[in-house]
Amino acid sequence: MKNKSILVVLTLLAVFLPQFMEAQCAMCRAVLESEADTSAAEGINNGIVYLMAVPYILVAGLFYFIYRKMRT
């Protein structure tokens, strides 16, 4: 039970605090850290996080649709 609650808390933190997530690949990170403009790095990092989230949202929607169809 304790492990499950820790997992839920960590998942919620990751979802609601994406600015603390590091989602850049090594190459992108090296190039962006060498530049003085940090807004570009933040923009790329946010873009990667959003691109990563879209498939999960689509799959969740699909499972919800299947659940609704199976229930009726």
Side-chain angles (χ1 to χ4, degrees):
M1 183 70 174
K2 184 177 180 181
N3 290 338
K4 189 174 181 180
S5 62
I6 291 173
L7 181 65
V8 169
V9 168
L10 290 176
T11 304
L12 289 174
L13 285 174
V15 169
F16 292 113
L17 299 172
Q19 65 269 22
F20 297 115
M21 301 296 293
E22 296 293 330
Q24 295 172 346
C25 67
M27 297 286 289
C28 297
R29 184 181 187 101
V31 169
L32 291 172
E33 283 182 349
S34 66
E35 296 178 3
D37 185 21
T38 59
S39 65
E42 290 176 8
I44 296 237
N45 194 24
N46 288 339
I48 292 170
V49 170
Y50 294 137
L51 286 172
M52 182 184 69
V54 169
Y56 290 106
I57 293 170
L58 291 174
V59 169
L62 177 67
F63 281 124
Y64 177 72
F65 177 74
I66 291 171
Y67 172 75
R68 292 277 312 243
K69 285 292 186 184
M70 297 294 279
R71 193 164 175 197
T72 58

